[in-house]
Amino acid sequence: MTPVFETLPSLPTRSGTQCLPPVASFETNFESRTSVDSHTAYTEFVGELDKSPSDTRAYRLIRLSNGLVAMVVHDKEESKACAALDVNVGSLADPQELQGLAHFCEHLLFM
């Protein structure tokens, strides 16, 4: 039996949940900045991010010129760097004719 998936009219979103900063739409509280090295324009969130009082890490929420929103976390006690990515889309957004596309693209992130 072939599984049948519903095609969504729009992508699911988690705006308004506790997972995102208070301004979940990312449309306000951003100020324009320019990187020192490459002179690339970006915007930075200047509002308050909700974090634990015992968390000593420094957080910056930036939006790049291509629209990608990234959270940069600085931990002065850590000697290694890491990255995480949330594309906020999955198999429910796969076109009917390309089932598995989201999973395939997930593997492209690790190349």
Side-chain angles (χ1 to χ4, degrees):
M1 178 177 196
T2 305
V4 177
F5 296 94
E6 178 184 354
T7 303
L8 299 176
S10 64
L11 298 179
T13 180
R14 291 188 293 178
S15 64
T17 69
Q18 297 300 317
C19 299
L20 296 175
V23 183
S25 69
F26 299 118
E27 297 302 321
T28 60
N29 292 357
F30 275 87
E31 289 183 358
S32 296
R33 307 269 196 257
T34 304
S35 67
V36 176
D37 296 337
S38 65
H39 303 290
T40 304
Y42 66 96
T43 56
E44 184 171 352
F45 183 75
V46 293
E48 288 294 317
L49 295 174
D50 196 12
K51 69 174 194 170
S52 169
S54 63
D55 188 350
T56 60
R57 294 171 288 200
Y59 293 83
R60 291 174 58 208
L61 188 64
I62 62 173
R63 181 174 39 216
L64 304 179
S65 59
N66 66 0
L68 180 85
V69 176
M71 180 173 282
V72 181
V73 183
H74 178 254
D75 185 347
K76 61 184 175 189
E77 304 295 322
E78 188 57 56
S79 63
K80 296 182 176 141
C82 67
L85 179 66
D86 178 10
V87 294
N88 203 19
V89 70
S91 61
L92 293 177
D94 282 347
Q96 188 65 36
E97 66 278 4
L98 290 172
Q99 293 297 307
L101 181 63
H103 188 220
F104 173 73
C105 291
E106 175 189 352
H107 288 274
L108 294 177
L109 295 172
F110 304 110
M111 296 182 86

